[in-house]
Amino acid sequence: MSHPLFDIRGRVALVTGSSRGIGRALAQGLAEAGCAVVLNGRDRHALERTRAELADRTGATVHAQAFDVTDPGAVAEAIPRLEDLAGPLDILVNNAGMQHRAPFTEFLTEDWHRLLETNLSSAFLVGREVARRMTARGSGKIVNICSVQSEVVRPGIAPYSATKGGLKMLTKGMCADLGPSGIQVNGLAPGYFDTELTAALVADETFTAWVRGRTPAGRWGQVGDLVGALIFLCSPASDFVNGQLLYVDGGMTSVL
Protein backbone atom coordinates (compact mmCIF):
# COMPACT_ATOMS: atom_id res chain seq x y z
CA MET A 1 0.00 0.00 0.00
CA SER A 2 1.36 3.42 -0.91
CA HIS A 3 1.92 6.12 1.70
CA PRO A 4 -1.28 8.10 2.37
CA LEU A 5 0.56 11.36 1.68
CA PHE A 6 0.49 10.40 -2.01
CA ASP A 7 -3.21 9.50 -2.06
CA ILE A 8 -5.14 11.69 -4.52
CA ARG A 9 -8.16 9.45 -4.97
CA GLY A 10 -11.37 11.42 -5.41
CA ARG A 11 -9.64 14.64 -6.49
CA VAL A 12 -10.92 16.49 -9.58
CA ALA A 13 -8.24 17.51 -12.10
CA LEU A 14 -8.19 19.59 -15.28
CA VAL A 15 -5.33 18.93 -17.72
CA THR A 16 -5.12 21.39 -20.62
CA GLY A 17 -3.84 20.25 -24.00
CA SER A 18 -4.51 16.62 -23.11
CA SER A 19 -5.80 14.94 -26.26
CA ARG A 20 -2.32 13.56 -27.07
CA GLY A 21 1.34 13.46 -26.11
CA ILE A 22 2.54 14.46 -22.66
CA GLY A 23 -0.85 15.94 -21.69
CA ARG A 24 -2.60 12.67 -22.42
CA ALA A 25 -0.02 10.72 -20.40
CA LEU A 26 -0.40 13.09 -17.44
CA ALA A 27 -4.19 12.81 -17.59
CA GLN A 28 -3.97 9.04 -17.72
CA GLY A 29 -1.63 9.01 -14.72
CA LEU A 30 -4.04 11.11 -12.66
CA ALA A 31 -6.96 8.89 -13.69
CA GLU A 32 -5.00 5.77 -12.71
CA ALA A 33 -4.30 7.41 -9.34
CA GLY A 34 -8.05 7.75 -8.73
CA CYS A 35 -8.79 11.29 -9.88
CA ALA A 36 -11.79 12.37 -11.91
CA VAL A 37 -10.13 13.99 -14.91
CA VAL A 38 -11.29 16.74 -17.27
CA LEU A 39 -9.51 16.70 -20.62
CA ASN A 40 -9.12 19.86 -22.69
CA GLY A 41 -8.20 20.65 -26.28
CA ARG A 42 -9.61 22.41 -29.34
CA ASP A 43 -10.31 19.36 -31.52
CA ARG A 44 -13.59 17.94 -30.19
CA HIS A 45 -13.28 14.67 -32.09
CA ALA A 46 -9.72 13.96 -30.92
CA LEU A 47 -10.70 14.92 -27.40
CA GLU A 48 -13.68 12.59 -27.34
CA ARG A 49 -11.55 9.74 -28.70
CA THR A 50 -9.03 10.26 -25.93
CA ARG A 51 -11.77 10.54 -23.32
CA ALA A 52 -13.31 7.23 -24.34
CA GLU A 53 -9.93 5.47 -24.46
CA LEU A 54 -8.82 6.74 -21.04
CA ALA A 55 -12.16 5.98 -19.40
CA ASP A 56 -12.03 2.44 -20.80
CA ARG A 57 -8.38 1.91 -19.85
CA THR A 58 -8.53 3.31 -16.31
CA GLY A 59 -12.14 2.88 -15.26
CA ALA A 60 -12.04 6.46 -13.96
CA THR A 61 -14.49 9.27 -14.55
CA VAL A 62 -13.14 11.20 -17.55
CA HIS A 63 -14.79 14.29 -19.04
CA ALA A 64 -13.91 16.22 -22.20
CA GLN A 65 -14.23 20.00 -22.46
CA ALA A 66 -13.21 21.59 -25.76
CA PHE A 67 -12.29 25.27 -25.43
CA ASP A 68 -9.49 27.59 -26.53
CA VAL A 69 -7.19 28.23 -23.56
CA THR A 70 -5.81 31.37 -25.27
CA ASP A 71 -9.25 33.03 -25.44
CA PRO A 72 -10.08 34.91 -22.21
CA GLY A 73 -13.83 34.78 -22.84
CA ALA A 74 -13.80 31.07 -23.61
CA VAL A 75 -11.80 30.34 -20.46
CA ALA A 76 -14.09 32.45 -18.26
CA GLU A 77 -17.10 30.57 -19.61
CA ALA A 78 -15.56 27.10 -19.53
CA ILE A 79 -14.24 26.85 -15.96
CA PRO A 80 -17.63 27.35 -14.22
CA ARG A 81 -19.21 24.97 -16.74
CA LEU A 82 -16.71 22.18 -16.18
CA GLU A 83 -16.90 22.59 -12.39
CA ASP A 84 -20.68 22.20 -12.64
CA LEU A 85 -20.04 19.02 -14.63
CA ALA A 86 -17.16 17.41 -12.73
CA GLY A 87 -17.12 19.17 -9.36
CA PRO A 88 -14.79 21.78 -7.84
CA LEU A 89 -11.27 21.55 -9.24
CA ASP A 90 -8.61 20.37 -6.79
CA ILE A 91 -5.86 20.15 -9.41
CA LEU A 92 -4.97 22.18 -12.50
CA VAL A 93 -2.24 21.04 -14.89
CA ASN A 94 -1.38 23.81 -17.36
CA ASN A 95 0.05 21.64 -20.13
CA ALA A 96 -1.14 23.30 -23.36
CA GLY A 97 1.85 24.25 -25.44
CA MET A 98 3.50 24.23 -28.85
CA GLN A 99 6.93 24.43 -30.44
CA HIS A 100 8.15 26.30 -33.52
CA ARG A 101 11.76 26.23 -34.71
CA ALA A 102 13.45 28.86 -36.87
CA PRO A 103 16.63 30.96 -36.78
CA PHE A 104 16.14 34.05 -34.65
CA THR A 105 16.55 36.52 -37.54
CA GLU A 106 13.97 34.61 -39.61
CA PHE A 107 11.39 34.07 -36.89
CA LEU A 108 8.05 35.50 -37.99
CA THR A 109 6.25 37.95 -35.73
CA GLU A 110 3.01 35.97 -35.96
CA ASP A 111 4.82 32.81 -34.82
CA TRP A 112 6.29 34.71 -31.86
CA HIS A 113 2.81 35.81 -30.77
CA ARG A 114 1.38 32.33 -31.33
CA LEU A 115 4.00 30.81 -29.03
CA LEU A 116 3.42 33.48 -26.37
CA GLU A 117 -0.34 32.97 -26.39
CA THR A 118 -0.21 29.18 -26.35
CA ASN A 119 2.68 28.55 -23.96
CA LEU A 120 2.41 31.46 -21.55
CA SER A 121 -0.86 33.39 -21.80
CA SER A 122 -2.92 30.20 -21.57
CA ALA A 123 -1.37 29.33 -18.21
CA PHE A 124 -2.11 32.85 -16.96
CA LEU A 125 -5.71 32.83 -18.20
CA VAL A 126 -6.67 29.35 -17.02
CA GLY A 127 -4.61 29.68 -13.84
CA ARG A 128 -6.26 32.98 -12.94
CA GLU A 129 -9.79 31.65 -13.45
CA VAL A 130 -9.18 28.43 -11.54
CA ALA A 131 -7.25 30.20 -8.77
CA ARG A 132 -10.17 32.54 -8.10
CA ARG A 133 -12.25 29.48 -7.22
CA MET A 134 -9.49 27.63 -5.36
CA THR A 135 -8.80 30.75 -3.28
CA ALA A 136 -12.41 30.84 -2.13
CA ARG A 137 -12.11 27.18 -1.07
CA GLY A 138 -8.71 27.64 0.60
CA SER A 139 -6.83 24.86 -1.19
CA GLY A 140 -5.60 23.66 -4.56
CA LYS A 141 -2.67 22.36 -6.58
CA ILE A 142 -1.53 24.03 -9.81
CA VAL A 143 1.22 22.45 -11.90
CA ASN A 144 2.61 24.39 -14.86
CA ILE A 145 4.38 22.23 -17.46
CA CYS A 146 7.65 24.02 -18.04
CA SER A 147 10.72 22.61 -19.81
CA VAL A 148 14.48 22.24 -19.65
CA GLN A 149 14.24 25.28 -21.91
CA SER A 150 12.99 27.20 -18.88
CA GLU A 151 16.66 27.07 -17.89
CA VAL A 152 18.81 26.37 -20.97
CA VAL A 153 18.50 26.89 -24.71
CA ARG A 154 19.60 25.58 -28.10
CA PRO A 155 19.85 27.45 -31.42
CA GLY A 156 16.57 27.94 -33.28
CA ILE A 157 14.21 28.03 -30.30
CA ALA A 158 14.83 31.42 -28.68
CA PRO A 159 11.11 32.42 -28.60
CA TYR A 160 10.07 29.00 -27.25
CA SER A 161 12.67 29.30 -24.50
CA ALA A 162 11.44 32.81 -23.72
CA THR A 163 7.91 31.48 -23.19
CA LYS A 164 9.10 28.62 -20.99
CA GLY A 165 11.37 30.93 -19.01
CA GLY A 166 8.40 33.22 -18.55
CA LEU A 167 6.31 30.28 -17.37
CA LYS A 168 8.96 29.51 -14.74
CA MET A 169 8.67 33.04 -13.37
CA LEU A 170 4.86 33.00 -13.63
CA THR A 171 4.97 29.84 -11.49
CA LYS A 172 7.01 31.61 -8.84
CA GLY A 173 4.79 34.69 -8.97
CA MET A 174 1.63 32.61 -8.64
CA CYS A 175 3.20 30.93 -5.61
CA ALA A 176 3.81 34.33 -4.02
CA ASP A 177 0.23 35.49 -4.59
CA LEU A 178 -1.65 32.24 -3.98
CA GLY A 179 0.40 30.53 -1.28
CA PRO A 180 -1.29 32.44 1.55
CA SER A 181 -4.62 31.00 0.35
CA GLY A 182 -3.44 27.42 0.74
CA ILE A 183 -2.61 26.85 -2.94
CA GLN A 184 0.65 25.28 -4.11
CA VAL A 185 1.90 26.27 -7.58
CA ASN A 186 4.86 24.36 -8.95
CA GLY A 187 6.44 23.60 -12.31
CA LEU A 188 7.15 20.21 -13.86
CA ALA A 189 9.95 20.56 -16.40
CA PRO A 190 10.46 17.68 -18.85
CA GLY A 191 13.69 17.16 -20.73
CA TYR A 192 13.72 15.58 -24.18
CA PHE A 193 10.80 13.16 -24.44
CA ASP A 194 9.84 10.67 -27.11
CA THR A 195 6.31 11.65 -28.21
CA GLU A 196 4.46 11.96 -31.49
CA LEU A 197 5.38 15.65 -31.53
CA THR A 198 9.12 14.86 -31.37
CA ALA A 199 9.01 11.83 -33.71
CA ALA A 200 11.09 13.57 -36.39
CA LEU A 201 13.80 14.46 -33.86
CA VAL A 202 13.83 10.93 -32.44
CA ALA A 203 14.22 9.57 -35.97
CA ASP A 204 17.17 11.90 -36.62
CA GLU A 205 20.17 9.75 -35.68
CA THR A 206 22.47 12.72 -35.18
CA PHE A 207 20.04 14.51 -32.88
CA THR A 208 19.25 11.34 -30.93
CA ALA A 209 22.97 10.74 -30.44
CA TRP A 210 23.27 14.29 -29.10
CA VAL A 211 20.35 13.75 -26.66
CA ARG A 212 21.84 10.48 -25.40
CA GLY A 213 25.30 11.97 -25.04
CA ARG A 214 24.01 15.11 -23.31
CA THR A 215 21.77 13.22 -20.85
CA PRO A 216 23.37 11.28 -17.97
CA ALA A 217 20.53 8.74 -18.18
CA GLY A 218 21.63 8.10 -21.77
CA ARG A 219 18.18 8.04 -23.35
CA TRP A 220 15.09 9.97 -24.37
CA GLY A 221 12.42 10.32 -21.69
CA GLN A 222 9.26 8.25 -21.92
CA VAL A 223 5.98 9.95 -21.02
CA GLY A 224 5.44 7.57 -18.11
CA ASP A 225 8.59 9.01 -16.49
CA LEU A 226 6.60 12.17 -15.67
CA VAL A 227 3.67 10.58 -13.85
CA GLY A 228 5.30 9.98 -10.45
CA ALA A 229 6.59 13.55 -10.26
CA LEU A 230 3.15 14.88 -11.17
CA ILE A 231 1.41 12.78 -8.52
CA PHE A 232 3.87 14.11 -5.93
CA LEU A 233 3.14 17.72 -6.92
CA CYS A 234 -0.63 17.10 -6.82
CA SER A 235 -0.67 15.25 -3.49
CA PRO A 236 -0.52 16.21 0.19
CA ALA A 237 3.15 15.12 0.09
CA SER A 238 3.95 18.49 -1.55
CA ASP A 239 1.90 20.72 0.76
CA PHE A 240 5.03 22.63 1.82
CA VAL A 241 6.57 22.67 -1.67
CA ASN A 242 5.70 25.87 -3.50
CA GLY A 243 7.12 27.89 -6.38
CA GLN A 244 9.58 25.15 -7.38
CA LEU A 245 10.52 23.59 -10.71
CA LEU A 246 11.01 19.84 -10.70
CA TYR A 247 13.19 18.90 -13.68
CA VAL A 248 12.49 15.42 -15.05
CA ASP A 249 15.26 15.36 -17.60
CA GLY A 250 17.53 12.38 -16.91
CA GLY A 251 20.07 14.82 -15.44
CA MET A 252 20.48 17.03 -18.51
CA THR A 253 20.33 20.38 -16.69
CA SER A 254 22.85 19.20 -14.06
CA VAL A 255 25.83 18.66 -16.36
CA LEU A 256 27.89 20.59 -18.88
Side-chain angles (χ1 to χ4, degrees):
M1 182 178 178
S2 63
H3 198 289
L5 280 173
F6 295 90
D7 186 0
I8 55 174
R9 288 173 295 180
R11 305 288 205 278
V12 179
L14 166 63
V15 184
T16 67
S18 48
S19 62
R20 61 179 179 166
I22 285 174
R24 177 193 169 114
L26 298 178
Q28 180 175 323
L30 291 175
E32 290 170 341
C35 291
V37 177
V38 182
L39 306 176
N40 157 264
R42 288 183 291 185
D43 184 333
R44 293 180 184 275
H45 298 297
L47 207 57
E48 177 53 32
R49 257 194 325 271
T50 300
R51 187 208 65 76
E53 290 168 0
L54 292 191
D56 182 62
R57 180 174 297 183
T58 67
T61 299
V62 184
H63 302 282
Q65 290 290 295
F67 62 95
D68 183 352
V69 292
T70 70
D71 181 336
V75 171
E77 188 274 331
I79 299 305
R81 183 182 70 236
L82 67 85
E83 285 204 337
D84 287 342
L85 173 69
L89 287 173
D90 303 293
I91 297 164
L92 166 63
V93 182
N94 277 315
N95 170 75
M98 65 173 296
Q99 173 64 290
H100 184 84
R101 298 176 181 86
F104 183 74
T105 53
E106 299 170 23
F107 216 96
L108 298 179
T109 303
E110 53 265 38
D111 291 328
W112 162 258
H113 285 292
R114 195 158 52 100
L115 281 174
L116 277 175
E117 291 300 304
T118 305
N119 295 352
L120 187 54
S121 294
S122 67
F124 167 75
L125 294 171
V126 180
R128 181 181 63 180
E129 195 65 34
V130 171
R132 286 168 174 164
R133 292 166 171 267
M134 287 180 170
T135 297
R137 296 190 286 263
S139 66
K141 301 280 188 176
I142 298 176
V143 180
N144 294 326
I145 304 304
C146 298
S147 169
V148 291
Q149 271 86 42
S150 296
E151 195 66 36
V152 295
V153 70
R154 295 184 71 252
I157 57 169
Y160 177 83
S161 299
T163 65
K164 290 299 186 177
L167 188 56
K168 175 180 76 171
M169 294 312 297
L170 179 64
T171 300
K172 293 177 179 292
M174 290 170 71
C175 158
D177 278 352
L178 302 176
S181 297
I183 300 167
Q184 290 82 54
V185 187
N186 291 289
L188 181 60
Y192 282 85
F193 273 71
D194 182 355
T195 71
E196 56 199 276
L197 297 180
T198 58
L201 293 177
V202 174
D204 183 329
E205 292 182 7
T206 301
F207 192 85
T208 285
W210 177 84
V211 168
R212 289 175 176 162
R214 184 67 179 76
T215 306
R219 64 175 176 88
W220 285 80
Q222 301 298 316
V223 289
D225 292 325
L226 294 165
V227 173
L230 178 67
I231 290 173
F232 165 65
L233 293 176
C234 293
S235 73
S238 63
D239 279 354
F240 202 56
V241 178
N242 213 348
Q244 304 303 308
L245 259 66
L246 175 52
Y247 288 96
V248 183
D249 64 355
M252 177 178 275
T253 52
S254 295
V255 299
L256 290 173

